[in-house]
Amino acid sequence: MNKEVITIKIGSNALLGESGKNFDTDIITHLLDDIYKWRKQYHIVLVSSGAVAAGRIVLQKTADTLDRSTLAAVGQMHLIDMYYRLCVERDIVPSQILISREHLTVRENYAHIRHTFQELLHHDIFPIVNENDAVALQGGGFGDNDALAVYAAILSRSDRLIFLTNLDGLYTADPRVDANAEFLERVDNIDQEITAMCSASRSSFGTGGMLSKLRSAKMATTAGIDVHIINGLKTENLSQLLSGEKVGTWFPRIGEDSLSDKKLWLLLGSTSNGQIIVDDGAKEALKQRKSLLAVGIKKVRGKFVQKDFVNILDMQGDTIALGIVDYDSEILSEALKQKKDKESIRRRLPREVVHSDNITLLK
Ligand code: GLU
């Protein structure tokens, strides 16, 4: 596969356009025209939301009495039917991949989905991806398709991930209420300052939207993928970006070192809410790709058992790494509570808590 791979994510807001009620056929037709045009140069993967919204469009009033899974089960048909017709008109062979969160926690499944993407792209088949909402438990899935888009980008070995949203990109504040809001063309470091800007404007322009895109951008750039957030309601934007023009906000990929397959899977497989908070010494050791030892742990939050995924946080509350833990949370908490001096902790928990082979650092 020598063409660059690009994952494009379109959210329900962009699909519904200004009306917010029905699919905006202009926007969608334009998107498919662009995909048709750019497929000559790139392999393109589309992550499309809209199943729940389509369920509402099909079922009208009845929709108010139904849950998201039921709406998505109805709406996914409508959504994919629309894409199918548009693809056939353009001589594109489409395919549908519905991913469930838990599939990715099993390494064999992860490898299998990766293989499916490779096969499809190798045969010039156009993958259209969504979450398998009909079977996902409420609260147990990806949450929103921003995270799913990162997964799809990693699974398809994409070089770039483009979010089509209803905003021009990232601002220092909500541009609709703050005249001093500055537009950010490029963000190299998704740190607390940037994240705080989005949380501060949460009620209007955030509502999870930009915040979840920042989280996703952090994961994707760590995995070596360039991320762009552009306004999908301006139909000329995608082509301009792909032609090399500056459009929206760009989050350049971090470093050149590519993560091993296992470390990428670690990034994707993590579904745990378990948290291990580490001190500055342990943070430094992790950066130098060392294992996490019990003496560097300040606190343990949530329940987990040996071999579960855990989030590793620094004392400022930033997630710095993901890993597979070798002790149960109860054993760790108990040991930390009872033994305050480092020597006795070391004696009680002699093995690595998370081995360096099982850690992916978030940069
Ligand atoms: N998978 C959901 C859908 O297709 C995503 C909804 C969202 O982006 O919030 O409707």
Side-chain angles (χ1 to χ4, degrees):
M1 201 164 54
N2 39 21
K3 286 197 260 185
E4 213 182 280
V5 185
I6 295 182
T7 294
I8 299 171
K9 187 254 167 173
I10 183 154
S12 304
N13 280 342
L15 283 170
L16 295 173
E18 305 286 358
S19 85
K21 289 212 165 63
N22 271 309
F23 285 138
D24 187 317
T25 41
D26 268 2
I27 288 180
I28 300 168
T29 309
H30 210 285
L31 174 65
L32 264 292
D33 283 340
D34 278 347
I35 289 173
Y36 172 74
K37 176 170 141 201
W38 289 100
R39 264 167 50 89
K40 298 189 180 84
Q41 198 167 324
Y42 302 108
H43 286 297
I44 296 182
V45 173
L46 180 67
V47 175
S48 177
S49 302
V52 175
R56 288 191 188 283
I57 293 169
V58 173
L59 294 167
Q60 304 279 317
K61 270 202 156 31
T62 323
D64 296 339
T65 60
L66 300 173
D67 65 18
R68 282 174 59 85
S69 292
T70 315
L71 290 173
V74 174
Q76 183 64 24
M77 288 280 285
H78 183 53
L79 185 69
I80 216 70
D81 176 58
M82 175 181 72
Y83 282 126
Y84 182 75
R85 287 163 198 257
L86 290 167
C87 286
V88 169
E89 281 168 15
R90 288 162 183 76
D91 241 351
I92 300 171
V93 181
S95 57
Q96 176 182 226
I97 303 190
L98 297 178
I99 301 180
S100 295
R101 188 84 163 86
E102 58 272 23
H103 283 149
L104 298 169
T105 61
V106 181
R107 196 145 177 229
E108 288 74 20
N109 266 145
Y110 158 81
H112 182 70
I113 305 176
R114 270 199 123 181
H115 173 75
T116 306
F117 269 108
Q118 293 311 294
E119 284 294 283
L120 291 171
L121 296 180
H122 180 72
H123 291 283
D124 213 21
I125 297 168
F126 170 47
I128 303 174
V129 184
N130 199 356
E131 178 166 8
N132 196 348
D133 294 298
V135 303
L137 292 172
Q138 308 270 307
F142 292 99
D144 56 53
N145 276 9
D146 294 339
L148 175 68
V150 180
Y151 288 63
I154 293 179
L155 289 162
S156 61
R157 296 170 206 256
S158 288
D159 301 276
R160 270 198 266 182
L161 167 59
I162 301 170
F163 287 102
L164 300 180
T165 67
N166 56 356
L167 292 163
D168 288 334
L170 193 65
Y171 287 84
T172 53
D174 184 345
R176 290 172 295 201
V177 293
D178 187 341
N180 295 323
E182 274 173 49
F183 183 71
L184 299 172
E185 256 183 24
R186 175 177 172 150
V187 176
D188 286 277
N189 191 7
I190 305 168
D191 53 15
Q192 276 203 315
E193 203 187 324
I194 294 278
T195 317
M197 269 163 19
C198 281
S199 345
S201 51
R202 208 183 161 78
S203 56
S204 38
F205 116 117
T207 338
M210 269 303 156
L211 211 52
S212 87
K213 279 181 191 60
L214 283 185
R215 259 185 241 121
S216 300
K218 189 159 186 164
M219 268 176 91
T221 50
T222 299
I225 298 167
D226 281 287
V227 176
H228 300 266
I229 299 179
I230 67 172
N231 193 336
L233 303 182
K234 297 182 181 162
T235 49
E236 66 284 5
N237 271 353
L238 181 61
S239 261
Q240 285 176 350
L241 178 71
L242 294 177
S243 311
E245 288 177 40
K246 274 190 191 162
V247 184
T249 303
W250 174 37
F251 303 81
R253 67 182 78 181
I254 296 164
E256 287 306 313
D257 54 334
S258 58
L259 292 176
S260 70
D261 204 49
K262 182 174 181 191
K263 300 225 165 189
L264 280 176
W265 168 68
L266 271 173
L267 202 61
L268 293 190
S270 175
T271 52
S272 158
N273 292 323
Q275 295 185 342
I276 296 181
I277 294 99
V278 300
D279 63 21
D280 290 343
K283 179 176 173 178
E284 223 20 70
L286 291 177
K287 275 195 197 154
Q288 289 162 27
R289 305 191 189 273
K290 298 208 174 110
S291 299
L292 175 64
L293 304 176
V295 286
I297 298 178
K298 287 299 241 188
K299 219 188 213 166
V300 168
R301 284 202 204 113
K303 268 194 172 229
F304 48 82
V305 294
Q306 193 184 15
K307 300 289 167 225
D308 268 355
F309 289 99
V310 285
N311 302 291
I312 304 173
L313 282 72
D314 64 13
M315 299 207 321
Q316 285 70 47
D318 275 335
T319 304
I320 51 171
L322 299 164
I324 295 180
V325 68
D326 275 319
Y327 286 100
D328 296 0
S329 52
E330 268 176 31
I331 297 176
L332 286 176
S333 308
E334 207 43 42
L336 295 173
K337 215 183 319 160
Q338 287 181 3
K339 309 277 177 191
K340 291 288 180 209
D341 67 295
K342 298 210 166 192
E343 204 35 59
S344 38
I345 292 180
R346 217 172 262 134
R347 245 181 288 121
R348 216 177 143 131
L349 305 172
R351 282 182 287 119
E352 295 93 350
V353 176
V354 187
H355 192 278
S356 59
D357 285 352
N358 294 329
I359 292 176
T360 298
L361 289 173
L362 288 173
K363 295 173 199 159

